[in-house]
Amino acid sequence: MSETIMVAGGAGYIGSHMVHQLLKTGYDVVIVDNLSTGHRQAVNPQARFYEGDTRDIQFLKQVFAQEPIQAIIHMDAFSIVPESVGDPLKYFDNNVIGMIKLLEIMQQYDVKYLIFSSTAATFGQPQQSPITEQTPQQPINPYGVSKLMMEQMMHWVDQAYGIKSVALRYFNAAGALADGSIGEDHNPETHLIPIILKTAMGQQDTLKIYGNDYQTPDGTNVRDYVHVTDLAQAHILALKYLQAGNPSTAFNLGSNQGFSVQEIIQAARKVTQKAIPAEIAPRRGGDPDILIADSSRAKSILGWQPQYTDIQAIIKTAWTWKQKHPQGYQS
Ligand SMILES: NC(=O)c1ccc[n+]([C@@H]2O[C@H](COP(=O)([O-])OP(=O)(O)OC[C@H]3O[C@@H](n4cnc5c(N)ncnc54)[C@H](O)[C@@H]3O)[C@@H](O)[C@H]2O)c1
Ligand SMILES: O=c1ccn([C@@H]2O[C@H](COP(=O)(O)OP(=O)(O)O[C@H]3O[C@H](CO)[C@H](O)[C@H](O)[C@H]3O)[C@@H](O)[C@H]2O)c(=O)[nH]1
């Protein structure tokens, strides 16, 4: 019998790719999602879907009473940096309380393995680049703080109850399944690549570049873009790592390459063959200058081998999704 894995947030952008990858690998999948930022249409029909909120322990009990869940992949959270700066309590409420309730249910139902979507935002404005797992975590926005608190809870519940976990600190998730059947659709969209592609499609006139006075070669923020299916694969490897009896830990997941906002726009112009008008706008709140991952530990310990190493190839998958779904999901 195949193992049953719960994907919390499985109707979201990264979650829907996670579900696809698990099903393709032969796992049995349960999705829990309240559709607050996810989409019904992104729910894979081969998985069993329970619509509800992870902060609702009665709802979680109903799910766990019915499903033989052996591990949780915890992707449900709010994750927009500038929004978290304006409304920190929204982030502490959803992210931190959601984690407490998921850990409670794991303890009650003796579920031993947790793989968690953490983030580069836990590092804040790091003093070193690229960022390793040894780099101090000093978040500079409420989103990053909420994720660091969640990582810290995982440490203590391992000590107390033996719940084993891996925190995967993604850098900037990008791209879509190569066939363009699922992809990124947030409303409002705040992420750079989908907004660039909206502009390429003519759905907005001009792309705003949030600041060109950062401490970077061209003054615009530098980020490390990692393909969403490569991220999904890392979770399966992390689960196997825990099931082999290895200790709880964290890994940084990125491409080890940094691209400025200007460089991403240039790459997208090449992929789409569109002009993509852009203008400099004031800084957005909470953006660190440069975030680049050192993912060598994930490669050596998990055997993670990202398939996408070229930024244009990553953008091309997002463009395929956008061309097939110009208005995103219908529901
Ligand atoms: N997108 C990135 O670049 C990035 C980078 C680092 C980390 N992450 C993390 O990865 C995870 C997934 O990100 P995403 O971009 O796919 O976001 P997303 O908003 O597309 O997906 C999150 C999903 O969780 C669901 N959800 C949120 N709160 C919930 C709750 N309380 N109960 C049930 N369902 C809930 C939403 O409806 C949505 O389907 C998040 O935890 C995010 O913090 C994302
Ligand atoms: O219209 C836009 C949108 C974004 N940007 C810039 O593009 C860069 C990337 O911004 P995104 O919003 O795409 O991504 P973030 O780096 O803010 O954050 C993302 O990656 C982080 C990890 O690095 C977090 O985990 C978070 O969940 C996820 O949203 C930033 O410098 C931002 O200022 C623009 O200039 N114009």
Side-chain angles (χ1 to χ4, degrees):
M1 260 210 12
S2 45
E3 286 172 62
T4 303
I5 313 293
M6 174 174 137
V7 181
Y13 165 46
I14 304 173
S16 56
H17 291 80
M18 185 71 244
V19 170
H20 171 87
Q21 198 94 344
L22 285 167
L23 289 165
K24 202 174 100 180
T25 313
Y27 289 97
D28 178 49
V29 180
V30 168
I31 297 173
V32 162
D33 200 299
N34 65 1
L35 300 179
S36 54
T37 59
H39 299 271
R40 195 171 292 279
Q41 210 188 328
V43 172
N44 194 307
Q46 291 173 55
R48 291 185 297 290
F49 175 45
Y50 294 85
E51 185 176 345
D53 197 301
T54 52
R55 289 165 294 183
D56 179 352
I57 195 81
Q58 295 308 330
F59 163 69
L60 290 179
K61 277 184 183 160
Q62 284 167 17
V63 177
F64 278 74
Q66 288 175 67
E67 298 288 354
I69 292 165
Q70 281 142 297
I72 296 185
I73 297 182
H74 176 354
M75 299 188 152
D76 65 299
F78 290 146
S79 63
I80 301 171
V81 171
E83 184 187 52
S84 80
V85 176
D87 195 355
L89 288 178
K90 176 175 175 178
Y91 277 69
F92 295 132
D93 176 39
N94 197 44
N95 296 0
V96 178
I97 296 181
M99 176 60 107
I100 293 172
K101 297 300 163 193
L102 278 174
L103 290 171
E104 272 177 30
I105 203 82
M106 289 182 78
Q107 186 203 3
Q108 280 176 30
Y109 282 81
D110 199 28
V111 178
K112 289 288 177 220
Y113 305 116
L114 172 67
I115 313 295
F116 170 57
S117 301
S118 189
T119 167
T122 60
F123 291 106
Q125 187 80 265
Q127 299 304 305
Q128 87 189 69
S129 185
I131 300 168
T132 71
E133 288 78 6
Q134 268 69 53
T135 303
Q137 289 175 291
Q138 292 164 337
I140 60 167
N141 52 60
Y143 165 62
V145 171
S146 74
K147 290 275 170 162
L148 182 56
M149 288 164 81
M150 294 156 91
E151 283 197 18
Q152 289 169 340
M153 283 180 211
M154 286 158 52
H155 168 76
W156 291 106
V157 297
D158 181 7
Q159 304 294 307
Y161 319 125
I163 294 175
K164 299 291 167 198
S165 61
V166 173
L168 296 175
R169 300 177 188 138
Y170 324 152
F171 282 58
N172 288 53
L177 202 62
D179 68 5
S181 57
I182 50 175
E184 184 166 12
D185 178 12
H186 293 118
N187 188 17
E189 189 53 78
T190 59
H191 289 142
L192 179 62
I193 292 174
I195 293 179
I196 289 176
L197 299 182
K198 259 176 111 168
T199 317
M201 276 262 175
Q203 294 174 343
Q204 66 172 47
D205 295 337
T206 311
L207 170 81
K208 285 190 165 40
I209 298 173
Y210 296 131
N212 66 347
D213 56 352
Y214 285 96
Q215 296 298 307
T216 62
D218 67 19
T220 63
N221 286 149
V222 170
R223 293 286 179 275
D224 179 334
Y225 295 85
V226 52
H227 198 269
V228 64
T229 57
D230 286 327
L231 288 179
Q233 190 56 26
H235 292 70
I236 295 177
L237 296 170
L239 179 59
K240 291 189 170 146
Y241 159 93
L242 288 182
Q243 288 174 330
N246 290 302
S248 297
T249 190
F251 295 102
N252 294 353
L253 299 181
S255 70
N256 299 48
Q257 286 175 281
F259 293 96
S260 71
V261 174
Q262 293 281 21
E263 287 171 327
I264 294 293
I265 298 168
Q266 280 305 336
R269 285 182 179 137
K270 288 198 178 119
V271 170
T272 62
Q273 297 292 308
K274 306 280 184 193
I276 314 181
E279 64 186 23
I280 306 299
R283 285 184 177 205
R284 216 175 57 168
D287 280 337
D289 299 43
I290 302 181
L291 293 174
I292 302 173
D294 178 340
S295 300
S296 47
R297 191 162 172 275
K299 288 178 182 160
S300 64
I301 296 181
L302 296 180
W304 185 52
Q305 289 181 317
Q307 300 300 300
Y308 287 88
T309 52
D310 173 49
I311 190 65
Q312 286 189 40
I314 291 176
I315 295 172
K316 191 166 182 294
T317 62
W319 185 230
T320 302
W321 151 257
K322 183 70 186 160
Q323 286 176 303
K324 286 194 170 181
H325 304 266
Q327 304 303 331
Y329 290 110
Q330 298 309 302
S331 60

